[in-house]
Amino acid sequence: MKYSKKIFSKSRCKDLPFHNLQHTLDVYKNLIKIGTYENIPYKNLEPIMVAGLFHDTGNAFRFQGHEDVSATYAVLFMEKNGYDEDYIEKVCSYIRATKIPQKPRNIYESIICDADLFHLGTDSYHTTNKLLRREWQNFLGLEYSEAEWLILNIKFLQDHKFHSQYGRLKLEPQKQINLDELKKQYVSVCRS
């Protein structure tokens, strides 16, 4: 955990409103919650936990394709600390699975994908989404009108699927509530 914390604290990530250390710690906590719910033994969950700590470290250098940079950070750390090749490959595949659109190939990739987008199925979604909007505006120069932002997020939530049983049973209902709220906001914005 110290290694990834250091990357976040000594790079532009410390200034990012969304893809920062707090998001990484939330992902770490949530993948343990999901993995436990899915009855994954701790021994098998450990590589996902390592991947969770590294999955967004690539944002220190770039947004687009940051997953590959994140995997490189993880490899450097694991090789230096004597992890075997199979373990390293698993961690890298879990990190790369978080790339949008997510297409997990197994339960482990499903767990990290759902942990990464966990906020979509929480009642804090709208607050978290404001952080993402600010990050895109300040660091990517992406400006959206209120209607454009709402359309973008409505489409994202409509296209998104939770992959784990936990995600489908525990997060999907609140995600649908969040989606309905976005649609209502859109109607309200269009009327004004």
Side-chain angles (χ1 to χ4, degrees):
M1 189 175 290
K2 286 181 187 175
Y3 189 83
S4 60
K5 276 186 179 180
K6 186 176 175 183
I7 294 168
F8 281 105
S9 67
K10 295 186 181 259
S11 71
R12 72 175 182 172
C13 291
K14 71 182 180 308
D15 300 318
L16 297 177
F18 181 80
H19 290 103
N20 54 31
L21 180 60
Q22 186 57 56
H23 169 68
T24 295
L25 295 175
D26 289 344
V27 169
Y28 183 81
K29 176 187 72 173
N30 292 330
L31 65 83
I32 293 170
K33 182 184 290 187
I34 297 168
T36 302
Y37 185 88
E38 301 286 337
N39 294 313
I40 304 296
Y42 183 83
K43 177 180 72 117
N44 296 355
L45 197 56
E46 188 181 299
I48 308 169
M49 294 162 62
V50 172
L53 291 172
F54 281 95
H55 84 285
D56 273 342
T57 54
N59 280 303
F61 291 101
R62 67 177 187 219
F63 287 103
Q64 199 73 357
H66 72 270
E67 297 85 2
D68 291 328
V69 178
S70 299
T72 300
Y73 270 130
V75 169
L76 292 172
F77 171 80
M78 290 184 287
E79 286 179 346
K80 182 179 175 185
N81 289 282
Y83 288 78
D84 68 47
E85 196 61 40
D86 183 52
Y87 193 100
I88 292 171
E89 187 54 43
K90 284 179 186 176
V91 169
C92 289
S93 76
Y94 303 154
I95 291 170
R96 289 187 178 106
T98 63
K99 185 175 179 154
I100 306 291
Q102 296 176 334
K103 295 176 183 163
R105 299 168 299 172
N106 56 50
I107 185 61
Y108 306 107
E109 291 180 4
S110 295
I111 290 169
I112 194 168
C113 286
D114 286 0
D116 190 27
L117 295 178
F118 195 94
H119 67 282
L120 301 180
T122 67
D123 58 8
S124 64
Y125 164 75
H126 297 286
T127 302
T128 307
N129 201 32
K130 287 177 186 172
L131 297 175
L132 183 63
R133 185 177 186 179
R134 187 167 8 126
E135 181 172 299
W136 285 12
Q137 182 176 347
N138 296 343
F139 290 87
L140 294 173
L142 298 173
E143 301 261 350
Y144 295 95
S145 69
E146 193 62 27
E148 290 169 333
W149 182 250
L150 289 167
I151 290 169
L152 181 75
N153 285 279
I154 289 168
K155 179 165 178 27
F156 187 79
L157 289 189
Q158 286 175 331
D159 292 346
H160 171 265
K161 303 273 186 277
F162 283 112
H163 306 284
S164 67
Q165 185 175 357
Y166 182 94
R168 289 188 300 271
L169 296 176
K170 303 288 187 182
L171 300 173
E172 185 65 29
Q174 181 63 47
K175 186 186 90 175
Q176 290 304 317
I177 292 169
N178 295 337
L179 177 58
D180 290 343
E181 288 173 4
L182 288 174
K183 289 176 180 178
K184 287 175 189 171
Q185 289 174 18
Y186 179 72
V187 169
S188 176
V189 165
C190 290
R191 286 183 179 155
S192 14

